[in-house]
Amino acid sequence: MPPTIRRAVIPAAGLGSRLLPLTKATPKEMLPVGDKPVIEHTVRELVASGITDITIVVSGGKSLIQDHFRPSPGLVAQLRADGKSGYADAVEEVADLARTGHITYLDQHGPYGNGTPVLNAARAFGDEPVLVLWPDDVFVAEVPRAQQLIRAYMKTACPVLALLPMNRADSQRYGVPIVQEDMGGGMLRITGLVEKPKPADAPSQYAAIGGYVITPDIVDELRERTHRWYEARDRGEPVGEVYLTDAINAHAANHAVYGQVIQGTWYDTGNPADYLVAQMAHALAHPEYGPVLRDLVHRLDSSGSDGSSTTT
Ligand code: G1P
């Protein structure tokens, strides 16, 4: 059996352009979903899956993420002195979570593209496999998505991509895997990914959703691509981006790569409509706020009004 996965990378250096101007001052990773910022959902998922070494790759201006996870002894002492121990416990619990996950931060540097943060973090990987999770996904699942990916890796010792069935009409939003064989149990052997194909060109009905087990060979591919990127730039040639998908495809040309269809509900929070859906779904599922919202939805439904109560 291969060594289990202990490390994870969360690339969080993006601009969050699709959510501007909401994300001008607040990183998209810090927008609330339910009663937690998006990135805390991801960190909780990783810690619940046994990950004990999390690297968050940030860019300048993302210090709110560090602030959120940093211990705040002064604030906690003040809250306790004021008799607000429930709030103090909640603040301490987030810092404990960060301690359990051993969160460290790195500033992203290098070429554009989603392969760069993974390579930036790779210095610490050695020859271990790592999980890469995008920072704008929230999963609600009985077995955390990260755990489902780790299980698939433990069976195969090969790179694994998180997949979900996709509506073909949406293919231009996703990387779509080329499926070679259905291995059973939701595991598919794949020969690569086609990025954002037109529906007619989509090679399957699955979408890659930001979740990957990356092996050292894929890191080597990223290193090679980054090296070539700098060489091209120094020769004054036009340069593109360094994409994780390209590195996975290069590896898949000669090695086994798998996709794991994830059991659970996925909420993408990277664009306004999906973000609102994620927020609403989490609020409705909350034990305290859920009934209040359900009542509002019920009133809106039956009155056709804005649901607000008025007194005359
Ligand atoms: C990235 C990946 C794509 C994947 C998507 C999921 O694309 O390249 O394969 O389907 O994330 O969110 P992006 O959305 O960053 O363009």
Side-chain angles (χ1 to χ4, degrees):
M1 220 199 276
T4 190
I5 301 181
R6 301 180 302 118
R7 295 180 189 276
V9 181
I10 307 176
L15 291 175
S17 342
R18 285 177 295 174
L19 288 160
L20 282 168
L22 199 56
T23 45
K24 183 168 175 288
T26 308
K28 68 174 176 178
E29 297 81 8
M30 286 303 297
L31 295 177
V33 168
D35 56 355
K36 300 172 184 59
V38 177
I39 196 162
E40 191 185 318
H41 288 279
T42 308
V43 169
R44 282 180 187 276
E45 176 184 345
L46 289 169
V47 169
S49 304
I51 297 295
T52 51
D53 195 325
I54 300 172
T55 305
I56 302 181
V57 184
V58 294
S59 59
K62 293 274 183 105
S63 61
L64 284 182
I65 298 177
Q66 283 101 313
D67 291 346
H68 180 67
F69 288 111
R70 184 177 289 141
S72 310
L75 173 62
V76 168
Q78 180 69 52
L79 289 167
R80 295 211 186 281
D82 294 347
K84 296 175 177 165
S85 59
Y87 294 129
D89 291 346
V91 170
E92 279 195 316
E93 205 247 327
V94 176
D96 285 347
L97 179 75
R99 219 170 283 126
T100 311
H102 288 97
I103 299 182
T104 52
Y105 302 89
L106 261 188
D107 268 315
Q108 178 162 324
H109 58 275
Y112 284 119
N114 61 20
T116 293
V118 180
L119 188 60
N120 287 165
R123 250 178 307 157
F125 297 170
D127 54 5
E128 289 181 47
V130 294
L131 267 165
V132 178
L133 296 188
W134 292 161
D136 44 14
D137 292 337
V138 177
F139 257 91
V140 178
E142 218 166 279
V143 177
R145 161 195 48 175
Q147 184 70 51
Q148 295 181 47
L149 285 171
I150 292 170
R151 285 181 186 171
Y153 170 77
M154 297 304 281
K155 284 188 206 149
T156 61
C158 292
V160 185
L161 279 55
L163 303 179
L164 277 182
M166 158 196 85
N167 187 340
R168 207 172 260 275
D170 292 334
S171 62
Q172 279 168 292
R173 295 173 61 184
Y174 302 115
V176 179
I178 307 161
V179 177
Q180 185 182 40
E181 193 182 347
D182 188 336
M183 316 293 293
M187 190 188 284
L188 307 170
R189 172 127 185 215
I190 65 171
T191 56
L193 277 175
V194 180
E195 273 296 335
K196 326 271 165 60
K198 294 203 174 91
D201 301 330
S204 69
Q205 302 243 28
Y206 293 98
I209 40 137
Y212 310 80
V213 175
I214 299 297
T215 54
D217 295 342
I218 294 199
V219 174
D220 289 344
E221 289 288 352
L222 285 173
R223 196 170 287 117
E224 174 63 27
R225 270 149 213 284
T226 302
H227 184 68
R228 290 208 300 265
W229 186 94
Y230 278 114
E231 281 184 343
R233 190 198 60 175
D234 292 347
R235 286 195 300 267
E237 291 169 9
V239 285
E241 304 194 9
V242 175
Y243 285 120
L244 192 52
T245 296
D246 291 337
I248 292 170
N249 280 343
H251 181 77
N254 301 306
H255 302 87
V257 173
Y258 292 87
Q260 177 66 47
V261 181
I262 301 294
Q263 298 296 318
T265 309
W266 176 47
Y267 297 102
D268 175 8
T269 64
N271 65 74
D274 288 342
Y275 171 56
L276 289 172
V277 169
Q279 235 183 354
M280 184 60 88
H282 276 73
L284 284 169
H286 194 282
E288 192 182 337
Y289 316 132
V292 179
L293 271 177
R294 238 178 286 281
D295 184 48
L296 169 68
V297 171
H298 180 72
R299 276 189 285 137
L300 284 171
D301 248 10
S302 47
S303 71
S305 77
D306 68 357
S308 58
S309 44
T310 50
T311 41
T312 47

